[in-house]
């Protein structure tokens, strides 16, 4: 009877020791998960700030390109009877139009990026 009691007590001690080790491991994993969540939140905030800065820069460049394009367009339209398709002014207008369009696409892409980061930050 004594050996059986001794075996039961040893088993109980081993199980108690295993249980406390599992608790420590679980706490360590939870701490690591919390640290990763905090890092992810900080990373999202940094990405959002960067995307907003890039959007502001692109917006500024787009407004400048639109202004230049509109000026050139008005000039070309006022002198349309004197110009042909290969005139330097018409070619410049086409370049400005292409630049404006590419900046518009870039602006829209940056705006979508900001919306994406905002949706992730708000969760």
């Amino acid at each position: 009877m004594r050996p059986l009691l001794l075996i039961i007590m040893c088993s109980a001690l081993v199980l108690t020791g295993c249980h406390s080790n599992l608790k420590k491991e679980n706490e360590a994993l939870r701490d690591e998960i919390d640290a990763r969540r905090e890092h992810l939140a900080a990373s999202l905030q940094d990405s959002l700030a960067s995307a907003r800065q890039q959007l502001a820069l692109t917006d500024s460049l787009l407004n400048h390109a639109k202004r230049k394009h509109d000026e050139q367009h008005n000039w070309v339209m006022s002198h349309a009877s004197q110009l042909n398709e290969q005139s330097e002014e018409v070619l410049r207008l086409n370049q400005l139009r292409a630049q404006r369009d590419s900046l518009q696409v870039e602006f829209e892409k940056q705006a979508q990026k900001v919306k994406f980061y905002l949706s992730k930050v708000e969760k």
Side-chain angles (χ1 to χ4, degrees):
M1 187 73 172
R2 265 191 160 167
L4 181 63
L5 185 60
L6 185 61
I7 292 172
I8 291 173
M9 293 202 42
C10 287
S11 298
L13 286 173
V14 168
L15 287 175
T16 304
C18 289
H19 179 68
S20 73
N21 283 344
L22 287 175
K23 263 187 166 179
K24 289 177 186 175
E25 288 177 16
N26 283 343
E27 288 173 8
L29 288 174
R30 283 192 183 113
D31 290 344
E32 185 177 341
I33 289 170
D34 290 341
R36 287 183 180 189
R37 281 188 181 139
E38 289 173 11
H39 177 68
L40 179 61
S43 177
L44 281 172
Q45 288 292 342
D46 291 344
S47 297
L48 176 60
S50 175
R52 282 182 169 162
Q53 284 179 336
Q54 191 64 33
L55 180 64
L57 176 63
T58 305
D59 184 44
S60 173
L61 291 172
L62 178 60
N63 286 331
H64 180 71
K66 283 180 179 179
R67 207 171 323 121
K68 287 283 195 187
H69 172 268
D70 292 343
E71 290 171 6
Q72 187 71 16
H73 183 265
N74 290 337
W75 190 90
V76 167
M77 287 298 129
S78 67
H79 296 85
S81 62
Q82 303 160 355
L83 300 172
N84 64 24
E85 292 178 2
Q86 297 302 316
S87 299
E88 187 176 320
E89 293 81 7
V90 173
L91 295 176
R92 173 134 171 79
L93 176 63
N94 290 336
Q95 287 175 334
L96 289 171
R97 185 175 295 129
Q99 183 182 21
R100 180 200 63 188
D101 292 347
S102 69
L103 283 169
Q104 182 67 41
V105 169
E106 183 65 23
F107 176 82
E108 291 170 7
K109 183 177 87 172
Q110 292 296 331
Q112 289 301 317
K113 223 185 229 188
V114 168
K115 285 180 187 178
F116 172 77
Y117 287 131
L118 280 173
S119 71
K120 292 296 179 185
V121 167
E122 290 173 353
K123 287 184 180 180

